[in-house]
Amino acid sequence: EVQLVESGGGLVQPGGSLRLSCAASGFTFSSYYMSWIRQAPGKGLEWVSFVDSDGGITNYADIVRGRFTISRDNAKNTLYLQMNSLNTEDTAVYYCARWDTGYRAWNSWGQGTQVTVSS
């Protein structure tokens, strides 16, 4: 079965950095577009970033552009999100997700990892 397992979250001070990872299994990872999506406390889901199957094309939400970098290592079946210059508005549960070409949606999600930015 498809499995996506996020890790790397935690407590960080404003201005700090974190590197999130998403370990994928149960499918051909290199064939799928991947994204990071987050949900802040009391807020709705917010798309963060996207990367195509080979890592050549990326996109970012305006609020994270220039601070976050999405990447992938297809040999390791792992998706990454490098987060720099974190602020309190970045506090959220971060999920990785897989694009489904049939449903045309981010149809498969991991369990999420908590990122808390606080002094």
Side-chain angles (χ1 to χ4, degrees):
E1 71 283 7
V2 174
Q3 283 193 309
L4 300 170
V5 181
E6 300 93 338
S7 62
L11 177 64
V12 64
Q13 294 183 333
S17 298
L18 283 174
R19 180 178 171 88
L20 306 184
S21 298
C22 173
S25 61
F27 65 101
T28 304
F29 179 71
S30 60
S31 296
Y32 286 85
Y33 298 180
M34 301 293 296
S35 72
W36 289 96
I37 301 165
R38 69 186 184 184
Q39 185 168 34
K43 305 292 185 177
L45 295 169
E46 180 183 36
W47 174 79
V48 174
S49 186
F50 147 84
V51 62
D52 72 349
S53 58
D54 65 5
I57 300 173
T58 59
N59 284 296
Y60 300 90
D62 288 345
I63 197 168
V64 307
R65 187 175 292 112
R67 300 188 297 121
F68 291 10
T69 303
I70 191 170
S71 62
R72 64 194 298 160
D73 188 336
N74 285 343
K76 296 182 178 180
N77 290 344
T78 303
L79 177 74
Y80 302 99
L81 185 68
Q82 178 66 46
M83 305 185 295
N84 299 326
S85 301
L86 287 162
N87 58 65
T88 57
E89 302 301 317
D90 297 315
T91 294
V93 177
Y94 284 72
Y95 303 92
C96 65
R98 187 187 77 169
W99 181 256
D100 187 290
T101 57
Y103 285 104
R104 305 182 75 173
W106 301 104
N107 199 45
S108 299
W109 295 53
Q111 86 290 343
T113 185
Q114 175 70 50
V115 172
T116 302
V117 184
S118 176
S119 59

